[in-house]
Amino acid sequence: MKKGKMKILVIGSNGFIGRNVAQYIYNSGLYELYECDVVVDYVKPNYHLIDATNADYHTIFQKTKFEVCINCSGAASVPDSLINPLRDFTLNTYNVFKLLDAIRQYQPDCRFINISSAAVYGNPQTLPIYEQSDLNPISPYGIHKAQAEQICKMFHDYYKIPTCSLRVFSAYGPELKKQLYWDLFQKAKNTDSITMFGTGTETRDFIYIDDVVQAIFCCLRNTLYQGESINVANGEEITINNAVSTF
């Protein structure tokens, strides 16, 4: 009997990371792609529309059996999490719980990959940052991402759901319309002189979106799925001054 392609569901498939993950799956031809997002789409065949603030994942997991679910959904703005903490909690934490509870009820063998953030570390006291480093988030966004990781761990420990969380550092690439490079681009369109905030000696670990996607699929194939958290970074400390000069 011929074995079918692995079915992968991408939650948040219209976001920056989700869109690139879905495109990789589609282009590879190795997997069967299913997508889920809050944006209406009348073209894609395996597409689920959900209400972000009142998401119901039961129907999705009742109708189709998936081998892997990659959660790329959620809010991704530290400033907005300060203004709208309930919305940030709903999108980054509560929806992860609802996703995993639907998996627990209908497909407990489905592997769950949760896209987390380096914001869970806050301002680290030492470098490099290892997964065992202390978590000291300094924003509602970072706290909610850390809580989502704990929820993934809980569903593994108590319900044996295969889960892992990937702490993505400063991802960048085409069509990302926020953060440092987008801000620089917007300012450079209108003037030859750009004013930046901060000292410029602050550092980030920038990772290109294609490398993020490769890391996700490396983990998809090799991680233990025991509720662990894994750093996804470039491994190079870059100052904001250097990044701006290169731009």
Side-chain angles (χ1 to χ4, degrees):
M1 181 176 177
K2 186 177 180 181
K3 188 176 181 180
K5 293 180 180 178
M6 176 188 292
K7 293 180 180 178
I8 300 179
L9 172 63
V10 180
I11 307 289
S13 60
N14 284 312
F16 176 55
I17 293 178
R19 182 172 59 251
N20 282 276
V21 169
Q23 192 64 52
Y24 174 83
I25 293 171
Y26 178 80
N27 292 340
S28 75
L30 300 174
Y31 312 99
E32 191 170 344
L33 171 64
Y34 290 77
E35 299 180 61
C36 176
D37 207 300
V38 297
V39 181
V40 175
D41 191 303
Y42 299 108
V43 178
K44 294 175 180 175
N46 298 327
Y47 186 85
H48 298 275
L49 177 66
I50 57 166
D51 180 348
T53 57
N54 188 26
D56 178 8
Y57 301 105
H58 290 235
T59 302
I60 298 174
F61 288 96
Q62 282 177 309
K63 291 176 61 175
T64 307
K65 181 171 178 55
F66 305 104
E67 278 76 20
V68 179
C69 174
I70 304 174
N71 177 36
C72 304
S73 69
S77 170
V78 169
D80 187 71
S81 76
L82 290 162
I83 299 170
N84 298 295
L86 178 58
R87 182 170 66 188
D88 192 86
F89 173 79
T90 301
L91 299 179
N92 285 331
T93 309
Y94 183 45
N95 279 355
V96 171
F97 191 104
K98 294 174 73 173
L99 264 170
L100 283 165
D101 199 48
I103 290 174
R104 178 187 66 84
Q105 294 183 55
Y106 305 110
Q107 297 187 38
D109 294 330
C110 177
R111 286 171 279 172
F112 184 79
I113 298 175
N114 182 54
I115 303 302
S116 186
S117 168
V120 299
Y121 294 113
N123 293 323
Q125 300 301 308
T126 59
L127 296 175
I129 304 171
Y130 298 104
E131 286 85 349
Q132 297 77 20
S133 299
D134 291 339
L135 303 188
N136 291 303
I138 56 174
S139 67
Y141 171 76
I143 291 170
H144 297 156
K145 282 293 189 182
Q147 290 171 334
E149 292 185 8
Q150 287 298 307
I151 290 168
C152 291
K153 185 75 165 54
M154 182 197 77
F155 271 90
H156 171 266
D157 291 349
Y158 289 93
Y159 305 105
K160 306 304 178 189
I161 308 297
T163 69
C164 71
S165 293
L166 306 184
R167 294 170 178 164
V168 178
F169 283 58
S170 297
Y172 72 99
E175 299 186 27
L176 177 62
K177 296 181 178 179
K178 60 182 179 180
Q179 299 179 1
L180 178 62
Y181 290 112
W182 174 254
D183 186 43
L184 288 173
F185 173 66
Q186 293 301 309
K187 291 179 177 177
K189 287 196 301 183
N190 301 315
T191 178
D192 294 329
S193 178
I194 297 176
T195 301
M196 302 296 295
F197 298 99
T199 65
T201 58
E202 302 89 349
T203 61
R204 296 287 185 277
D205 185 312
F206 293 100
I207 179 168
Y208 191 62
I209 185 60
D210 288 354
D211 296 325
V212 173
V213 173
Q214 289 299 318
I216 291 171
F217 278 81
C218 179
C219 292
L220 184 152
R221 291 186 291 267
N222 298 294
T223 192
L224 297 175
Y225 294 99
Q226 295 179 350
E228 66 272 34
S229 296
I230 301 168
N231 287 346
V232 175
N234 183 42
E236 181 179 0
E237 184 183 9
I238 298 175
T239 65
I240 298 301
N241 277 338
N242 189 13
V244 173
S245 298
T246 302
F247 176 85

